[in-house]
Amino acid sequence: MSTTIDKGVNQGVAPVTYGEGDRPPRGDYSRARADYTCEQDFARYSEADHDTYRRLYARQLQQLPGLACQEFIDAVEQLGAPERIPRFDDISERLMRATGWQIVGVPGLIPEEAFFALLAQRRFPVTDWMRLPEEFDYVVEPDVFHDLFGHVPLLFNPLFADYMQAYGAGGLKASRLEACELLARLYWYTVEFGLIDTPQGVRAYGAGILSSAGELRYAVTDPTPLRLAFDVRRLMRTRYKIDSYQANYFVIEDFQQLFNATAPDFAPIYADLRRLPAVEAGVQLPGERSFPPSR
Ligand code: PHE
Ligand code: FE
């Protein structure tokens, strides 16, 4: 389900379209510029906010060995001291030197096209507010912890950084082709819930997995979910779950495969897929193999 609300605010920015559920986004959009970015409201963080960040970071960090991919583990310290919510500008300085990316504040979820445009300019939008202590284990919308811890480390990886920019440009194109629903599945099953094969078994690189208390172990080690080989057409036909752990994941060989497989023109693929029925999450088609869980 998708809902459109009128933010009723400044300088004639378009209404916000947001994903699932019927609550309005909880951020303060009156602070946003026309491109939906805003200053990180650093003064607004309470000691409780910093403490929540510190505890979330510590809990996820100790889970990473054996579950997260090495590229993520190598880069996570680039976020800086884990005791307090970092300043976006400090991270941007390091990120700019590494891969030419910046992070920019946003009040929360933003419209699809604004999101694509930022990615295409190598600017990653990071929600600036912190979840409440009672949302420690689960928060419905992305917050500063999910966005920073989940997404930013891999932006330090040159190949993944280029993939994210290409995704943004591809999103602007998909908007024109009215294919955003198909392309959104690619984001979901790679950037948010992607797994990667390694000699030691599958590992996580998706932000939704890496920032989740329970799904990190589940996605990598539980025998229940399907772990299908990455294939653009198969993936873009596959629906996804928004309110539970995923019933299937897609496994890439490496980031080069992800980049190369998504480089061709998607227009003919969108045209084909529009004529095919979607596949429900968790369905194994004839002849498909599933990667085994790790450990
Ligand atoms: N190659 C895609 C297209 O032509 C663009 C794209 C690249 C989309 C990378 C997603 C990721 O539309
Ligand atoms: Fe995310």
Side-chain angles (χ1 to χ4, degrees), residues 192-241:
E192 294 291 355
F193 292 96
L195 296 180
I196 185 167
D197 194 24
T198 78
Q200 293 76 39
V202 297
R203 296 287 185 267
Y205 72 89
I209 306 177
L210 288 160
S211 65
S212 162
E215 189 156 1
L216 179 51
R217 186 161 302 279
Y218 178 85
V220 176
T221 70
D222 197 285
T224 312
L226 280 174
R227 298 176 181 85
L228 300 167
F230 178 81
D231 175 272
V232 168
R233 286 171 186 263
R234 170 61 161 97
L235 182 157
M236 289 206 289
R237 285 184 67 191
T238 310
R239 292 190 207 277
Y240 53 80
K241 308 266 183 191

Side-chain angles (χ1 to χ4, degrees), residues 163 166-171 173-174 177 183 186 258-259 262-267 270:
Y163 171 68
Y167 185 92
K173 175 171 152 189
L177 298 173
L183 191 67
L186 183 64
L258 177 61
F259 188 83
T262 52
D265 182 12
F266 280 3
Y270 295 149

Side-chain angles (χ1 to χ4, degrees), residues 111-122:
E112 229 157 39
E113 292 221 24
F115 180 67
F116 295 145
L118 289 172
L119 295 185
Q121 300 160 36
R122 292 176 97 86

Side-chain angles (χ1 to χ4, degrees), residues 1-233:
M1 183 168 55
S2 162
T3 314
T4 299
I5 56 151
D6 189 348
K7 310 192 283 112
V9 283
N10 55 0
Q11 66 230 189
V13 273
V16 176
T17 304
Y18 61 99
E20 326 302 330
D22 24 49
R23 297 160 310 99
R26 68 200 240 184
D28 171 13
Y29 288 79
S30 68
R31 299 184 292 130
R33 306 177 185 102
D35 64 359
Y36 286 91
T37 65
C38 64
E39 288 300 313
Q40 180 184 20
D41 193 353
F42 206 82
R44 227 185 92 207
Y45 297 135
S46 64
E47 281 310 307
D49 290 334
H50 288 297
D51 188 60
T52 302
Y53 182 86
R54 181 185 59 75
R55 291 184 299 124
L56 285 166
Y57 191 107
R59 175 172 72 180
Q60 286 312 101
L61 190 76
Q62 56 91 10
Q63 286 202 73
L64 298 180
L67 299 178
C69 69
Q70 197 56 44
E71 290 88 341
F72 184 89
I73 294 176
D74 289 343
V76 72
E77 65 194 34
Q78 299 284 350
L79 295 177
E83 282 86 43
R84 298 177 74 76
I85 300 166
R87 289 194 184 262
F88 296 173
D89 290 348
D90 292 344
I91 297 176
S92 283
E93 228 179 270
R94 295 191 282 276
L95 191 52
M96 180 59 85
R97 279 198 302 268
T99 58
W101 273 77
Q102 276 174 275
I103 60 176
V104 289
V106 284
L109 294 171
I110 64 173
E112 229 157 39
E113 292 221 24
F115 180 67
F116 295 145
L118 289 172
L119 295 185
Q121 300 160 36
R122 292 176 97 86
R123 295 198 292 161
F124 190 80
V126 174
T127 304
D128 74 341
W129 52 263
M130 172 54 75
R131 71 190 69 182
L132 297 170
E134 54 268 33
E135 295 167 305
F136 193 71
D137 289 321
Y138 183 74
V139 57
V140 183
E141 285 171 58
D143 72 336
V144 64
F145 181 75
H146 165 81
D147 282 341
L148 279 183
F149 189 91
H151 288 284
V152 173
L154 281 184
L155 291 174
F156 283 87
N157 178 281
L159 255 178
F160 193 82
D162 286 349
Y163 171 68
M164 290 294 281
Q165 178 181 19
Y167 185 92
L172 294 171
K173 175 171 152 189
S175 302
R176 296 193 297 273
L177 298 173
E178 293 183 29
C180 286
E181 194 185 348
L182 295 172
L183 191 67
R185 291 180 182 148
L186 183 64
Y187 193 87
W188 189 268
Y189 282 124
T190 62
V191 180
E192 294 291 355
F193 292 96
L195 296 180
I196 185 167
D197 194 24
T198 78
Q200 293 76 39
V202 297
R203 296 287 185 267
Y205 72 89
I209 306 177
L210 288 160
S211 65
S212 162
E215 189 156 1
L216 179 51
R217 186 161 302 279
Y218 178 85
V220 176
T221 70
D222 197 285
T224 312
L226 280 174
R227 298 176 181 85
L228 300 167
F230 178 81
D231 175 272
V232 168
R233 286 171 186 263

